[in-house]
Amino acid sequence: MSTILITGASSGLGAEMARQFAAKGHDLALCARRTDRLDELRSEILAAHADRRVELRALDVNDDEQVFEVFRAFRDDFGGLDRVIVNAGLGKGAPLGTGRYDANRETAMTNFVAALAQAEAAMEIFREQDAGHLVLVSSMSAMRGMPKSMTVYAATKAALSHLGEGLQYELLGKPIKVTVLHCGYIASEMNERVQQQVKFMASTEDGVRSMVDAIEKQKPHAYVPAVPWTALAPVMKHAPLPLLKRLL
Ligand SMILES: NC(=O)c1ccc[n+]([C@@H]2O[C@H](COP(=O)([O-])OP(=O)(O)OC[C@H]3O[C@@H](n4cnc5c(N)ncnc54)[C@H](OP(=O)(O)O)[C@@H]3O)[C@@H](O)[C@H]2O)c1
């Protein structure tokens, strides 16, 4: 059993990954800004699995220095980290040129620049250990440029997926592993408002079960849940834009 650090563990996919990994016997290092939520989650996990170890820290992933401090402090708590899941993310955004540069910038900084800081901090630890598993929570929207409020979000996730693939390229045959998860719609706080409108919305439990399964298998990349997203991935990637517009 291993020690797993999860960022953005205060809600949605991060909190559910923590529950499911705890049930599988893993110890947890959990962080987010809303520490009251983390306290509740730890109580819930320990009530179900008294022998698990769950450490908590406040972290704003946009504070670069704090990212490195918090990751190193968790490493010191446990004497090492086996897996880091870069999950914290933001679904804010607006069509370009509509006066919401602030929202688009915040999305870009949180979903890519802060993810880079987390990947740097994790890789430093893994290189010292000569072992570790980095997991990047990307999105099906990384397959293609997306319109309107999704434009910057999709661009950040495409960048994140390439970051992961670049690391995989470098680390081929080495003991440090990298998984890139391309998540489809999974119920969470981020998409509460769109849950009624979209096809293929998985429940949090089912969607995260699919994520956890791919992570445990250390797959280099996975579309989750596999149905329908594995079949849709090539269509999303290659369909001409007018066809894509009709499909999505
Ligand atoms: N749900 C989906 O359908 C879906 C699909 C594709 C990809 N994803 C990705 O899955 C990841 C998790 O999203 P979710 O759906 O679970 O949404 P969520 O319920 O809104 O959770 C987002 C998490 O990220 C954390 N976070 C946001 N900004 C942060 C910051 N500056 N510093 C630290 N933590 C921050 C939040 O914690 P605090 O606010 O407490 O800090 C929260 O725990 C994201 O990367 C998202 O892009 C989700």
Side-chain angles (χ1 to χ4, degrees), residues 8 10-11 13 33-34 59-61 87 153 157 186 188 191:
S10 59
S11 67
L13 313 188
R33 293 166 300 182
R34 290 172 293 175
L59 175 63
D60 181 341
V61 293
N87 168 71
Y153 179 84
K157 293 300 186 181
I186 301 172
S188 75
N191 53 29

Side-chain angles (χ1 to χ4, degrees), residues 26-239:
H26 300 289
D27 288 334
L28 298 167
L30 305 179
C31 48
R33 293 166 300 182
R34 290 172 293 175
T35 51
D36 53 331
R37 298 282 203 95
L38 295 178
D39 285 330
E40 283 169 28
L41 180 62
R42 172 165 58 183
S43 303
E44 184 194 325
I45 289 171
L46 294 180
H49 316 283
D51 52 345
R52 281 304 87 75
R53 182 170 174 196
V54 182
E55 298 294 337
L56 310 178
R57 282 195 166 74
L59 175 63
D60 181 341
V61 293
N62 287 316
D63 180 338
D64 287 348
E65 274 181 34
Q66 204 187 20
V67 169
F68 287 87
E69 279 165 21
V70 163
F71 279 34
R72 286 173 190 149
F74 277 137
R75 183 265 322 269
D76 294 344
D77 288 343
F78 288 97
L81 291 173
D82 299 298
R83 178 177 287 154
V84 172
I85 305 182
V86 177
N87 168 71
L90 199 63
K92 232 176 183 177
L96 268 68
T98 59
R100 292 306 314 274
Y101 172 60
D102 61 329
N104 285 330
R105 185 181 189 283
E106 195 183 340
T107 299
M109 296 305 286
T110 305
N111 290 4
F112 184 66
V113 178
L116 170 62
Q118 293 163 73
E120 290 268 9
M123 284 300 299
E124 253 182 37
I125 292 167
F126 293 162
R127 286 187 202 276
E128 274 170 25
Q129 297 175 164
D130 200 23
H133 181 201
L134 178 67
V135 179
L136 303 178
V137 179
S138 184
S139 159
M140 288 304 299
S141 67
M143 296 300 120
R144 206 62 186 272
M146 291 283 150
K148 300 183 180 177
S149 60
M150 290 284 288
T151 302
V152 172
Y153 179 84
T156 65
K157 293 300 186 181
L160 184 64
S161 296
H162 271 239
L163 188 82
E165 190 172 43
L167 280 169
Q168 287 166 348
Y169 192 159
E170 176 191 335
L171 297 167
L172 273 176
K174 302 263 169 63
I176 300 170
K177 303 297 173 204
V178 179
T179 295
V180 179
L181 293 179
H182 291 106
C183 302
Y185 293 119
I186 301 172
S188 75
E189 281 181 21
M190 183 180 287
N191 53 29
E192 254 163 12
R193 269 173 297 158
V194 296
Q195 280 176 31
Q196 306 307 318
Q197 300 154 30
V198 297
K199 289 179 251 171
F200 309 132
M201 177 70 73
S203 70
T204 315
E205 293 75 12
D206 290 348
V208 169
R209 196 167 301 115
S210 178
M211 294 170 73
V212 164
D213 182 59
I215 294 170
E216 290 283 64
K217 290 180 175 145
Q218 297 194 344
K219 290 187 178 176
H221 63 85
Y223 305 106
V224 286
V227 178
W229 299 106
T230 303
L232 287 177
V235 180
M236 288 179 69
K237 218 174 169 65
H238 301 295

